[in-house]
Coordinates of all heavy atoms in Angstrom, one line a residue:
M20 N 35.8 28.2 32.7 CA 34.8 27.2 32.9 C 33.4 27.8 32.5 O 32.6 27.2 31.8 CB 34.7 26.7 34.3 CG 36.0 26.0 34.8 SD 36.4 24.5 33.9 CE 35.1 23.5 34.4
T21 N 33.2 29.1 33.0 CA 31.9 29.7 32.6 C 31.7 29.9 31.1 O 30.7 29.6 30.6 CB 31.8 31.1 33.4 OG1 32.0 30.9 34.8 CG2 30.5 31.8 33.1
T22 N 32.8 30.3 30.5 CA 32.8 30.5 29.0 C 32.5 29.2 28.3 O 31.6 29.2 27.4 CB 34.1 31.1 28.5 OG1 34.3 32.4 29.2 CG2 34.1 31.4 27.0
L23 N 33.2 28.2 28.7 CA 33.0 26.9 28.0 C 31.6 26.3 28.3 O 31.0 25.8 27.4 CB 34.1 25.9 28.5 CG 35.5 26.2 28.1 CD1 36.5 25.3 28.7 CD2 35.7 26.2 26.6
A24 N 31.2 26.4 29.5 CA 29.8 25.9 29.8 C 28.8 26.7 29.1 O 27.7 26.2 28.7 CB 29.6 26.0 31.3
G25 N 29.1 28.0 28.9 CA 28.2 28.9 28.1 C 27.9 28.4 26.7 O 26.9 28.7 26.1
Y26 N 28.9 27.7 26.1 CA 28.8 27.1 24.8 C 27.9 25.8 24.8 O 27.7 25.2 23.7 CB 30.1 26.8 24.2 CG 30.9 28.1 23.7 CD1 32.1 28.4 24.4 CD2 30.4 28.9 22.7 CE1 32.8 29.6 24.0 CE2 31.1 30.0 22.4 CZ 32.3 30.4 23.0 OH 33.0 31.5 22.6
G27 N 27.5 25.5 26.0 CA 26.6 24.3 26.1 C 27.5 23.0 26.1 O 26.9 21.9 26.0
L28 N 28.8 23.1 26.4 CA 29.6 21.9 26.5 C 29.4 21.2 27.8 O 29.2 21.8 28.8 CB 31.1 22.3 26.4 CG 31.5 23.0 25.1 CD1 33.0 23.5 25.2 CD2 31.4 22.0 23.9
R29 N 29.4 19.9 27.7 CA 29.3 19.1 28.9 C 30.7 18.9 29.5 O 31.4 18.1 28.9 CB 28.5 17.8 28.7 CG 27.1 17.9 28.3 CD 26.3 16.6 28.1 NE 26.7 15.6 29.0 CZ 26.2 15.4 30.2 NH1 25.3 16.2 30.7 NH2 26.5 14.4 30.9
L30 N 31.0 19.6 30.5 CA 32.4 19.6 31.0 C 32.7 18.6 32.0 O 31.8 18.3 32.9 CB 32.7 21.0 31.6 CG 32.5 22.2 30.6 CD1 32.7 23.5 31.4 CD2 33.5 22.1 29.4
H31 N 33.9 18.0 32.0 CA 34.3 17.0 33.0 C 35.5 17.7 33.8 O 36.4 18.1 33.2 CB 34.8 15.7 32.4 CG 35.3 14.8 33.4 ND1 34.5 14.0 34.2 CD2 36.6 14.4 33.7 CE1 35.2 13.3 35.0 NE2 36.5 13.5 34.7
G32 N 35.4 17.7 35.1 CA 36.5 18.2 36.0 C 37.4 17.1 36.3 O 37.2 16.3 37.3
F33 N 38.5 16.9 35.6 CA 39.4 15.9 35.8 C 40.4 16.2 36.9 O 41.1 17.2 36.9 CB 40.2 15.6 34.5 CG 41.2 14.5 34.6 CD1 40.8 13.2 34.5 CD2 42.5 14.7 34.7 CE1 41.7 12.1 34.5 CE2 43.5 13.7 34.8 CZ 43.0 12.4 34.7
G34 N 40.4 15.4 38.0 CA 41.2 15.7 39.1 C 40.9 16.9 39.9 O 41.7 17.6 40.5
F35 N 39.6 17.3 39.9 CA 39.2 18.5 40.5 C 39.3 18.5 42.0 O 38.9 17.5 42.6 CB 37.7 18.8 40.1 CG 37.5 20.1 39.3 CD1 38.1 20.3 38.1 CD2 36.8 21.1 39.9 CE1 37.9 21.5 37.4 CE2 36.6 22.3 39.2 CZ 37.2 22.5 38.0
K36 N 39.7 19.6 42.6 CA 39.8 19.8 44.0 C 38.4 20.2 44.5 O 37.6 20.8 43.8 CB 40.8 20.8 44.4 CG 42.2 20.6 43.8 CD 42.8 19.4 44.5 CE 44.2 19.2 44.0 NZ 44.6 17.8 43.9
T37 N 38.2 20.0 45.8 CA 36.9 20.3 46.4 C 36.6 21.8 46.4 O 35.4 22.2 46.2 CB 36.7 19.8 47.8 OG1 37.9 20.2 48.6 CG2 36.7 18.2 47.9
L38 N 37.6 22.6 46.5 CA 37.4 24.1 46.5 C 37.0 24.5 45.1 O 36.1 25.4 44.9 CB 38.7 24.8 46.9 CG 39.0 24.7 48.4 CD1 40.4 25.5 48.6 CD2 37.9 25.3 49.2
G39 N 37.5 23.8 44.1 CA 37.1 24.1 42.7 C 35.7 23.7 42.5 O 34.9 24.4 41.8
L40 N 35.3 22.5 43.0 CA 33.9 22.1 42.9 C 32.9 23.0 43.5 O 31.8 23.3 43.0 CB 33.7 20.7 43.5 CG 34.4 19.5 42.7 CD1 34.2 18.2 43.5 CD2 33.8 19.4 41.3
E41 N 33.3 23.6 44.7 CA 32.5 24.5 45.4 C 32.2 25.8 44.5 O 31.2 26.4 44.5 CB 33.1 25.0 46.7 CG 33.1 23.8 47.7 CD 33.8 24.2 49.0 OE1 34.1 25.4 49.2 OE2 34.1 23.3 49.8
K42 N 33.3 26.2 43.7 CA 33.2 27.4 42.9 C 32.5 27.2 41.6 O 31.7 28.0 41.2 CB 34.5 28.0 42.7 CG 35.2 28.6 43.9 CD 36.5 29.2 43.6 CE 37.1 29.8 44.9 NZ 38.4 30.3 44.7
V43 N 32.8 26.1 40.9 CA 32.3 25.9 39.5 C 31.6 24.5 39.3 O 31.4 24.2 38.2 CB 33.4 26.1 38.5 CG1 33.9 27.6 38.6 CG2 34.5 25.1 38.6
G44 N 31.4 23.8 40.4 CA 30.8 22.5 40.2 C 29.5 22.5 39.5 O 29.1 21.6 38.8
H45 N 28.7 23.6 39.6 CA 27.4 23.7 39.0 C 27.6 23.8 37.4 O 26.6 23.6 36.7 CB 26.7 24.9 39.5 CG 27.4 26.2 39.2 ND1 28.6 26.6 39.8 CD2 27.0 27.3 38.5 CE1 28.9 27.8 39.4 NE2 28.0 28.2 38.6
L46 N 28.8 24.1 37.0 CA 29.1 24.2 35.5 C 29.5 22.8 34.9 O 29.7 22.7 33.7 CB 30.1 25.2 35.3 CG 29.8 26.6 35.7 CD1 31.0 27.6 35.5 CD2 28.6 27.2 35.0
L47 N 29.8 21.8 35.8 CA 30.3 20.6 35.3 C 29.2 19.5 35.1 O 28.3 19.5 35.9 CB 31.3 20.0 36.3 CG 32.6 20.9 36.6 CD1 33.4 20.3 37.7 CD2 33.4 21.1 35.4
A48 N 29.4 18.7 34.1 CA 28.5 17.5 34.0 C 29.0 16.4 34.8 O 28.2 15.5 35.3 CB 28.5 17.1 32.5
S49 N 30.3 16.3 35.1 CA 30.9 15.3 35.9 C 32.3 15.7 36.4 O 32.8 16.7 35.9 CB 31.1 14.0 35.1 OG 31.9 14.2 33.9
A50 N 32.8 15.0 37.4 CA 34.1 15.3 37.9 C 34.7 14.1 38.6 O 33.9 13.1 38.9 CB 34.0 16.4 38.9
D51 N 36.0 14.0 38.7 CA 36.6 12.9 39.4 C 37.8 13.4 40.2 O 38.3 14.5 39.9 CB 37.0 11.8 38.5 CG 38.1 12.2 37.5 OD1 39.2 12.5 37.9 OD2 37.8 12.2 36.3
S52 N 38.3 12.6 41.1 CA 39.5 13.0 41.9 C 39.9 11.8 42.6 O 39.2 10.9 43.0 CB 39.1 14.1 42.9 OG 40.2 14.3 43.8
L53 N 41.2 11.7 42.9 CA 41.8 10.7 43.7 C 42.1 11.2 45.1 O 42.7 10.5 45.9 CB 43.1 10.1 43.1 CG 42.9 9.3 41.8 CD1 44.3 8.9 41.3 CD2 42.1 8.1 42.2
A54 N 41.6 12.4 45.4 CA 41.9 13.0 46.7 C 41.4 12.1 47.9 O 42.0 11.9 48.9 CB 41.2 14.4 46.8
W55 N 40.2 11.5 47.7 CA 39.7 10.6 48.7 C 40.6 9.4 49.0 O 40.8 9.0 50.1 CB 38.3 10.1 48.3 CG 38.3 9.1 47.2 CD1 38.2 9.4 45.9 CD2 38.4 7.7 47.3 NE1 38.3 8.2 45.1 CE2 38.4 7.2 46.0 CE3 38.6 6.8 48.4 CZ2 38.6 5.8 45.7 CZ3 38.7 5.5 48.1 CH2 38.7 5.0 46.8
S56 N 41.2 8.9 47.9 CA 42.1 7.7 48.1 C 43.4 8.1 48.8 O 43.8 7.4 49.7 CB 42.4 7.1 46.7 OG 43.2 6.0 46.8
T57 N 43.9 9.2 48.4 CA 45.1 9.7 49.1 C 44.9 10.0 50.5 O 45.7 9.7 51.4 CB 45.6 11.0 48.4 OG1 45.9 10.7 47.0 CG2 46.9 11.5 49.0
H58 N 43.7 10.6 50.8 CA 43.3 10.9 52.2 C 43.2 9.6 53.0 O 43.8 9.5 54.1 CB 42.0 11.6 52.2 CG 41.5 12.1 53.5 ND1 40.7 11.4 54.3 CD2 41.8 13.3 54.1 CE1 40.4 12.1 55.4 NE2 41.1 13.2 55.3
A59 N 42.6 8.6 52.4 CA 42.4 7.3 53.1 C 43.7 6.6 53.3 O 43.9 5.9 54.3 CB 41.4 6.5 52.3
R60 N 44.6 6.7 52.3 CA 45.9 6.0 52.4 C 46.7 6.4 53.6 O 47.5 5.5 54.1 CB 46.7 6.3 51.1 CG 48.0 5.4 50.9 CD 48.6 5.7 49.6 NE 47.7 6.0 48.5 CZ 47.1 5.0 47.8 NH1 47.3 3.8 48.0 NH2 46.2 5.4 46.8
H61 N 46.5 7.6 54.1 CA 47.3 8.0 55.3 C 46.6 8.0 56.6 O 47.0 8.6 57.6 CB 47.8 9.5 55.0 CG 48.7 9.5 53.8 ND1 50.0 9.0 53.7 CD2 48.4 10.0 52.5 CE1 50.4 9.2 52.5 NE2 49.5 9.8 51.7
R62 N 45.5 7.2 56.6 CA 44.7 7.1 57.8 C 44.4 5.6 58.1 O 44.4 4.8 57.2 CB 43.4 7.9 57.7 CG 43.6 9.4 57.8 CD 42.5 10.2 57.4 NE 42.7 11.6 57.6 CZ 43.6 12.3 56.8 NH1 44.2 11.7 55.9 NH2 43.8 13.6 57.1
P63 N 44.1 5.3 59.3 CA 43.7 3.9 59.6 C 42.4 3.6 58.9 O 41.6 4.5 58.6 CB 43.5 3.9 61.2 CG 43.5 5.3 61.6 CD 44.1 6.2 60.5
P64 N 42.1 2.3 58.7 CA 40.9 2.0 58.0 C 39.6 2.3 58.9 O 39.7 2.6 60.1 CB 41.0 0.4 57.8 CG 41.9 0.0 58.9 CD 42.9 1.2 59.1
M65 N 38.5 2.4 58.2 CA 37.2 2.7 58.9 C 36.9 1.6 59.9 O 37.4 0.4 59.7 CB 36.1 2.8 57.8 CG 36.2 3.9 56.8 SD 35.0 3.8 55.5 CE 33.5 4.1 56.3
A66 N 36.2 1.9 60.9 CA 35.8 0.9 61.9 C 35.2 -0.3 61.2 O 34.3 -0.2 60.4 CB 34.9 1.5 62.9
G67 N 35.7 -1.5 61.6 CA 35.1 -2.7 61.0 C 35.8 -3.2 59.8 O 35.5 -4.3 59.3
H68 N 36.7 -2.4 59.1 CA 37.3 -2.7 57.9 C 38.6 -3.4 58.3 O 39.4 -3.0 59.1 CB 37.6 -1.5 57.0 CG 36.3 -0.9 56.5 ND1 36.3 -0.2 55.3 CD2 35.1 -0.9 56.9 CE1 35.0 0.1 55.0 NE2 34.3 -0.3 56.0
T69 N 38.9 -4.5 57.6 CA 40.1 -5.3 58.0 C 41.3 -5.1 57.1 O 42.4 -5.6 57.3 CB 39.7 -6.8 57.9 OG1 39.2 -7.1 56.6 CG2 38.7 -7.2 58.9
H70 N 41.1 -4.3 56.0 CA 42.3 -4.0 55.1 C 43.2 -3.0 55.8 O 42.9 -2.3 56.8 CB 41.9 -3.6 53.7 CG 40.6 -2.8 53.7 ND1 39.5 -3.2 53.0 CD2 40.3 -1.6 54.1 CE1 38.6 -2.3 53.1 NE2 39.0 -1.3 53.8
K71 N 44.4 -2.8 55.2 CA 45.4 -1.9 55.7 C 45.0 -0.5 55.8 O 45.2 0.2 56.8 CB 46.7 -2.0 54.9 CG 47.9 -1.2 55.3 CD 49.1 -1.3 54.4 CE 50.2 -0.4 54.8 NZ 51.3 -0.5 53.8
N72 N 44.3 0.0 54.8 CA 43.7 1.3 54.8 C 42.5 1.3 53.8 O 42.3 0.3 53.1 CB 44.7 2.4 54.5 CG 45.4 2.2 53.1 OD1 44.7 2.1 52.1 ND2 46.7 2.2 53.1
C73 N 41.8 2.4 53.7 CA 40.6 2.4 52.8 C 40.9 3.1 51.5 O 40.0 3.7 50.9 CB 39.5 3.1 53.6 SG 38.8 2.0 54.9
A74 N 42.1 3.1 51.0 CA 42.5 3.8 49.8 C 41.8 3.2 48.5 O 41.7 3.9 47.5 CB 44.0 3.8 49.6
N75 N 41.3 2.0 48.6 CA 40.6 1.4 47.5 C 39.2 0.9 47.9 O 38.7 -0.1 47.4 CB 41.4 0.2 46.9 CG 42.7 0.7 46.4 OD1 42.8 1.6 45.5 ND2 43.8 0.2 46.9
C76 N 38.6 1.6 48.8 CA 37.4 1.1 49.5 C 36.1 1.9 49.1 O 36.1 3.1 49.3 CB 37.7 1.3 51.0 SG 36.3 0.8 52.1
L77 N 35.1 1.2 48.6 CA 33.9 1.9 48.1 C 33.2 2.7 49.3 O 32.8 3.8 49.1 CB 33.0 0.9 47.5 CG 31.7 1.5 46.9 CD1 31.9 2.6 45.9 CD2 30.8 0.4 46.4
P78 N 33.0 2.1 50.5 CA 32.3 2.8 51.5 C 33.1 4.1 51.9 O 32.4 5.2 52.1 CB 32.3 1.9 52.7 CG 32.4 0.5 52.1 CD 33.2 0.7 50.9
Y79 N 34.4 4.1 51.9 CA 35.2 5.3 52.1 C 34.9 6.4 51.0 O 34.7 7.5 51.3 CB 36.7 5.0 52.3 CG 37.5 6.1 52.9 CD1 37.7 6.1 54.3 CD2 37.9 7.2 52.2 CE1 38.5 7.1 54.9 CE2 38.6 8.3 52.8 CZ 38.9 8.2 54.1 OH 39.6 9.2 54.7
A80 N 35.0 5.9 49.8 CA 34.7 6.8 48.6 C 33.3 7.4 48.7 O 33.2 8.6 48.4 CB 34.9 6.0 47.3
L81 N 32.3 6.6 49.0 CA 31.0 7.1 49.1 C 30.8 8.1 50.3 O 30.1 9.1 50.1 CB 30.0 6.0 49.2 CG 29.9 5.1 48.0 CD1 29.0 3.9 48.2 CD2 29.4 5.9 46.7
N82 N 31.5 7.9 51.4 CA 31.4 8.8 52.5 C 32.1 10.1 52.1 O 31.6 11.2 52.4 CB 32.2 8.3 53.7 CG 31.3 7.2 54.5 OD1 30.2 7.1 54.2 ND2 32.0 6.6 55.4
W83 N 33.2 10.1 51.4 CA 33.9 11.2 50.9 C 33.0 12.0 50.0 O 32.8 13.2 50.1 CB 35.2 10.8 50.1 CG 36.0 12.0 49.6 CD1 35.8 12.6 48.4 CD2 37.1 12.6 50.2 NE1 36.7 13.6 48.2 CE2 37.5 13.6 49.3 CE3 37.7 12.5 51.4 CZ2 38.6 14.5 49.6 CZ3 38.8 13.3 51.7 CH2 39.2 14.3 50.8
R84 N 32.3 11.3 49.0 CA 31.4 12.0 48.1 C 30.3 12.7 48.8 O 29.9 13.8 48.5 CB 30.8 10.9 47.2 CG 29.7 11.4 46.2 CD 29.1 10.2 45.4 NE 28.1 10.7 44.5 CZ 26.8 10.8 44.9 NH1 26.4 10.6 46.1 NH2 25.9 11.2 44.0
T85 N 29.7 12.0 49.9 CA 28.6 12.6 50.6 C 29.1 13.9 51.3 O 28.4 15.0 51.3 CB 28.1 11.7 51.7 OG1 27.6 10.5 51.0 CG2 27.1 12.3 52.6
R86 N 30.3 13.9 51.9 CA 30.9 15.1 52.5 C 31.1 16.2 51.5 O 30.9 17.4 51.8 CB 32.2 14.8 53.3 CG 32.0 14.0 54.5 CD 33.2 14.1 55.5 NE 34.5 14.0 54.9 CZ 35.2 12.9 54.7 NH1 34.7 11.7 55.1 NH2 36.3 12.9 54.1
V87 N 31.7 15.9 50.4 CA 31.9 16.9 49.3 C 30.6 17.5 48.9 O 30.5 18.8 48.8 CB 32.7 16.3 48.1 CG1 32.7 17.3 46.9 CG2 34.1 15.9 48.5
L88 N 29.6 16.7 48.6 CA 28.3 17.3 48.1 C 27.7 18.1 49.2 O 27.1 19.2 48.9 CB 27.4 16.2 47.7 CG 27.8 15.4 46.4 CD1 26.8 14.3 46.1 CD2 27.9 16.4 45.2
A89 N 27.9 17.7 50.5 CA 27.3 18.5 51.6 C 27.9 19.9 51.8 O 27.3 20.8 52.2 CB 27.4 17.7 52.9
R90 N 29.2 20.0 51.4 CA 29.9 21.3 51.5 C 29.6 22.2 50.4 O 29.8 23.4 50.5 CB 31.4 21.0 51.4 CG 32.0 20.4 52.7 CD 33.5 20.2 52.6 NE 34.2 21.3 52.0 CZ 35.5 21.3 51.8 NH1 36.2 20.3 52.1 NH2 36.1 22.4 51.3
M91 N 29.0 21.7 49.3 CA 28.7 22.6 48.2 C 27.5 23.4 48.5 O 26.5 22.9 49.1 CB 28.5 21.8 46.9 CG 29.8 21.1 46.5 SD 29.6 20.1 45.0 CE 29.3 21.4 43.8
P92 N 27.5 24.7 48.1 CA 26.3 25.5 48.2 C 25.1 24.8 47.5 O 25.2 24.2 46.5 CB 26.6 26.8 47.5 CG 28.1 26.9 47.5 CD 28.5 25.4 47.4
A93 N 23.9 24.9 48.2 CA 22.7 24.1 47.6 C 22.4 24.5 46.2 O 22.1 23.6 45.4 CB 21.5 24.4 48.5
W94 N 22.6 25.8 45.8 CA 22.3 26.2 44.5 C 23.3 25.7 43.5 O 23.1 25.8 42.3 CB 22.1 27.7 44.4 CG 23.4 28.4 44.8 CD1 23.7 28.8 46.1 CD2 24.4 28.9 44.0 NE1 24.9 29.5 46.1 CE2 25.4 29.5 44.8 CE3 24.7 28.8 42.6 CZ2 26.5 30.1 44.3 CZ3 25.8 29.3 42.1 CH2 26.7 30.0 42.9
Q95 N 24.4 25.1 43.9 CA 25.5 24.6 43.0 C 25.5 23.1 43.0 O 26.3 22.6 42.2 CB 26.8 25.1 43.4 CG 27.0 26.6 43.2 CD 28.4 27.0 43.5 OE1 29.2 26.3 44.1 NE2 28.8 28.2 43.1
Q96 N 24.7 22.4 43.7 CA 24.9 21.0 43.8 C 24.5 20.4 42.4 O 23.3 20.5 42.0 CB 24.0 20.3 44.8 CG 24.6 20.5 46.2 CD 23.8 19.7 47.2 OE1 22.9 19.0 46.9 NE2 24.2 19.9 48.5
P97 N 25.4 19.7 41.7 CA 25.1 19.0 40.5 C 24.4 17.7 40.8 O 24.5 17.1 41.9 CB 26.4 18.7 39.9 CG 27.4 18.6 41.0 CD 26.8 19.5 42.1
A98 N 23.7 17.1 39.8 CA 23.0 15.8 40.0 C 24.0 14.8 39.6 O 23.9 14.2 38.5 CB 21.8 15.8 39.2
L99 N 25.0 14.5 40.5 CA 26.0 13.5 40.1 C 25.5 12.1 40.7 O 25.3 12.0 41.9 CB 27.3 13.8 40.8 CG 28.0 15.1 40.3 CD1 29.3 15.4 41.1 CD2 28.3 15.1 38.8
D100 N 25.3 11.2 39.8 CA 24.9 9.9 40.2 C 26.1 9.0 40.6 O 27.0 9.0 39.8 CB 24.1 9.2 39.1 CG 22.8 10.0 38.8 OD1 22.2 10.5 39.7 OD2 22.4 10.0 37.6
A101 N 26.0 8.3 41.7 CA 27.0 7.3 42.0 C 26.9 6.2 41.1 O 25.8 5.7 40.8 CB 26.9 6.9 43.4
A102 N 28.0 5.7 40.5 CA 27.9 4.6 39.5 C 28.0 3.3 40.3 O 28.5 3.2 41.3 CB 29.0 4.7 38.5
Ligands
ZN204 ZN1 37.7 0.3 54.0

């Protein structure tokens, strides 16, 4: 990742794990993962949500994103915009 980023490439972390983001997230232009959806699928829905689980739920995904970004070292936090 360091070598590729060194060439100025805008890298995308496809299916990246949170531990990987903590280590090399600062080298990525973007990343995605279905980990949040899998996590939600095996848990009851968030308070006030009426669906079976939050596997396809924007508030759950945004909470996941907030937790992931909070775990990253401050000097590594990328400027990932929520779409
Ligand atoms: Zn939900």
Side-chain angles (χ1 to χ4, degrees):
M20 298 299 289
T21 302
T22 300
L23 293 173
Y26 286 116
L28 298 174
R29 291 181 42 82
L30 303 173
H31 175 76
F33 183 77
F35 239 67
K36 305 293 185 212
T37 53
L38 291 176
L40 289 175
E41 290 174 14
K42 290 182 180 178
V43 297
H45 63 293
L46 301 174
L47 300 175
S49 59
D51 65 64
S52 173
L53 288 178
W55 70 270
S56 182
T57 301
H58 187 265
R60 189 175 323 276
H61 301 288
R62 285 167 177 73
M65 295 170 69
H68 290 208
T69 57
H70 35 244
K71 181 179 175 184
N72 60 53
C73 289
N75 298 301
C76 177
L77 180 59
Y79 196 95
L81 293 175
N82 283 351
W83 181 273
R84 175 185 178 273
T85 298
R86 287 200 320 267
V87 168
L88 291 178
R90 284 180 46 183
M91 295 179 68
W94 59 273
Q95 290 187 347
Q96 283 190 2
L99 298 176
D100 297 324

